[in-house]
Amino acid sequence: MSATKPLHRIDRNVAQDDVLHVGAPNVGDRVYFNQLVDRIFQRRWFTNDGGVVKELESKLCSYLGVKHCVAVCNATLGLQLAYRALDLTGEVIVPSFTFVATAHAAQWNGLTPVFADVKRDDHTICPHSIETLITEQTRAIVGVHLWGNPCDTRKIEALARKHDLAVIYDAAHAFGCADQDRMIGNFGDCEVFSFHATKFFNTFEGGAIATNNDELAERLTRMKSFGFAGMDNVVGLGTNAKMPEVCAAMGLSLMPCLEQLMERNRHNHQLYQAHLEGLDGLRLLTHDHLQQTNWQYVVIEIDQQRFGVSRDELIERLHARQIRARRYFYPGCHRMEPYRSMPRNQGLALPNTEAIGDRVICLPTGSAVDEADIERVCNVIRGD
Ligand code: T4K
């Protein structure tokens, strides 16, 4: 990262409102972004295998140390492509405690999402729960690196080998994170990142599928562009999941700022830790044990008995003070439609998902949030 390319301070529209959001977008080097946009106009090349997307893909590969990164228009379509490119049919095991896109992408592809429970400590899919759900119909395990916490990749991949299953990781939260000394992007058959505006690294809307499998990368590249293998040559089923050039420009203008953004998030997290320390019944999830993470979510769990106020009451209190804290991912996919009404999910008990779903609050962080904002949020939580 170049010290001469400062991260642009976010111009929160304080005149309009003083609302704090969980997902206020990060903005990188705006001068560089504008130069790239000028180049896009000069070339009159807006989408379809353009030079800016190719440059972003190549930079992502270098950053992640992975062979292929296929840029896509969002992670939901990225997941759909991944499920399709791996020729999956039947059942896929997914955590219930995730953004609903993980399950929807499978259901949309005609697969049956089978919901596993998560671990109490880091909220990632529980290998033991996965094991109990594997049947003759199971074709894949889908792990979600929730909040940037890497799944238990060793156990998941051992289970997959034992039962001959594909492994896909929904890495929507985990760009810039590592599992020990290996960057997320290098695990399973492929990993799908989200570059949505609310993510630590964004391309307005977008995503990428990372893989070390040459053949899979080729299939994904064809499938994201209608199945074309060259001009006028359609070799199979495809869709339109291409990333436009202007989105890739946004990504390129953020790449030089990654370390700075991570550091900012880490600093914010430390401030939250300091301000919330000692509050009985409040647990702040930490990533201190991880070698590298993006710190993009500040997640607390509220134990109503000990804290004295319920999670939902606290959310109301925060919202009343213009702090748009979120109940991600309440109430768990198995309690959302269309899954809730499916016979297999009626009466399904996922104790950790349910306990966590009732307790979690995500707090504002990122480059739009400063020290005074964090103090303000923590004062509301403390009831001051
Ligand atoms: N897998 C996982 C595990 C995911 O978390 C996600 C997405 C996906 C897959 C699918 O990725 P994509 O297909 O989206 O690439 C938001 C995001 O839309 C979604 O991308 C994200 N996860 C999810 C966790 O959060 P909502 O429904 O919370 O969005 P919304 O509009 O309420 O925005 C969140 C907050 O951010 C609000 O307080 C407003 C603020 N915001 C939002 C936007 C778009 C801004 O300040 N500026 C903005 O431009 O889903």
Side-chain angles (χ1 to χ4, degrees):
M1 181 197 53
S2 157
T4 56
K5 290 201 167 157
L7 184 65
H8 277 259
R9 185 170 177 352
I10 305 296
D11 312 318
R12 197 166 84 232
N13 194 346
V14 180
Q16 190 192 36
D17 58 32
D18 199 15
V19 180
L20 286 179
H21 293 284
V22 168
N26 288 323
V27 178
D29 183 342
R30 264 151 68 170
V31 175
Y32 182 37
F33 173 74
N34 289 334
Q35 286 167 356
L36 288 166
V37 172
D38 283 343
R39 224 191 288 165
I40 292 167
F41 281 121
Q42 274 157 17
R43 285 181 184 155
R44 293 282 195 279
W45 197 279
F46 293 172
T47 185
N48 288 11
D49 213 17
V52 187
V53 167
K54 280 187 180 150
E55 191 181 336
L56 177 66
E57 287 179 333
S58 151
K59 290 226 159 108
L60 291 172
C61 285
S62 310
Y63 178 70
L64 300 171
V66 69
K67 272 174 98 175
H68 306 279
C69 258
V70 180
V72 288
C73 57
N74 61 58
T76 308
L77 270 163
L79 285 166
Q80 285 178 223
L81 284 178
Y83 296 150
R84 177 78 69 170
L86 287 163
D87 272 332
L88 300 180
T89 54
E91 298 178 356
V92 293
I93 298 175
V94 302
S96 172
F97 194 65
T98 177
F99 190 59
V100 74
T102 319
H104 275 356
Q107 183 73 24
W108 197 270
N109 278 26
L111 301 167
T112 304
V114 174
F115 295 111
D117 209 354
V118 290
K119 290 186 279 158
R120 201 68 184 76
D121 55 350
D122 67 359
H123 301 181
T124 66
I125 193 165
C126 168
H128 175 68
S129 177
I130 296 173
E131 201 165 9
T132 63
L133 297 169
I134 295 173
T135 69
E136 285 294 301
Q137 280 72 49
T138 310
R139 293 292 173 272
I141 301 169
V142 182
V144 181
H145 303 304
L146 211 80
W147 321 128
N149 285 331
C151 294
D152 195 334
T153 53
R154 274 165 204 74
K155 285 195 183 146
I156 289 174
E157 286 163 31
L159 277 173
R161 273 194 303 277
K162 184 170 164 197
H163 297 276
D164 193 22
L165 305 173
V167 178
I168 297 164
Y169 289 107
D170 176 337
H173 298 182
F175 185 73
C177 302
D179 184 5
Q180 299 195 23
D181 52 2
R182 210 162 150 216
M183 290 298 277
I184 297 295
N186 288 278
F187 294 89
D189 291 282
C190 61
E191 305 210 56
V192 182
F193 294 104
S194 170
F195 301 152
H196 182 261
T198 56
K199 296 294 184 289
F200 149 74
F201 171 78
N202 82 85
T203 59
F204 300 124
E205 284 265 10
I209 311 165
T211 181
N212 284 308
N213 179 328
D214 299 340
E215 202 194 318
L216 182 61
E218 214 179 298
R219 296 189 82 187
L220 289 164
T221 304
R222 285 200 306 266
M223 282 182 165
K224 78 163 177 179
S225 183
F226 313 105
F228 278 110
M231 204 179 280
D232 304 328
N233 183 25
V234 175
V235 297
L237 184 66
T239 186
N240 183 356
K242 288 169 278 123
M243 177 187 279
E245 290 285 270
V246 70
C247 292
M250 183 63 173
L252 284 177
S253 69
L254 268 158
M255 292 281 320
C257 309
L258 291 176
E259 279 177 41
Q260 222 175 329
L261 287 166
M262 276 191 213
E263 181 47 35
R264 177 62 176 268
N265 285 346
R266 196 184 63 83
H267 179 65
N268 286 350
H269 201 280
Q270 281 178 337
L271 286 175
Y272 272 113
Q273 206 158 4
H275 285 302
L276 298 175
E277 196 156 12
L279 276 185
D280 193 31
L282 183 148
R283 173 189 175 223
L284 172 69
L285 259 72
T286 170
H287 306 289
D288 289 334
H289 58 292
L290 298 175
Q291 269 180 27
Q292 183 176 325
T293 189
N294 57 34
W295 301 91
Q296 87 173 311
Y297 288 101
V298 174
V299 183
I300 57 170
E301 283 185 32
I302 299 297
D303 176 340
Q304 181 176 350
Q305 298 294 319
R306 286 167 48 213
F307 192 70
V309 169
S310 76
R311 185 273 307 270
D312 289 354
E313 282 166 331
L314 183 54
I315 283 271
E316 268 176 39
R317 202 198 276 173
L318 289 161
H319 285 196
R321 303 281 285 273
Q322 307 297 346
I323 299 160
R324 297 274 158 81
R326 298 296 296 260
R327 299 188 297 177
Y328 291 140
F329 292 102
Y330 171 84
C333 297
H334 73 298
R335 294 267 173 92
M336 294 179 192
E337 296 297 356
Y339 313 107
R340 182 176 50 192
S341 299
M342 293 176 179
R344 70 173 307 136
N345 296 322
Q346 283 170 9
L348 175 65
L350 299 175
N352 289 346
T353 298
E354 280 142 31
I356 294 166
D358 285 343
R359 288 172 178 228
V360 157
I361 300 181
C362 289
L363 299 173
T365 188
S367 54
V369 173
D370 62 22
E371 299 188 357
D373 294 327
I374 292 172
E375 204 177 329
R376 180 178 138 210
V377 175
C378 295
N379 286 342
V380 176
I381 293 174
R382 290 181 160 275
D384 296 345

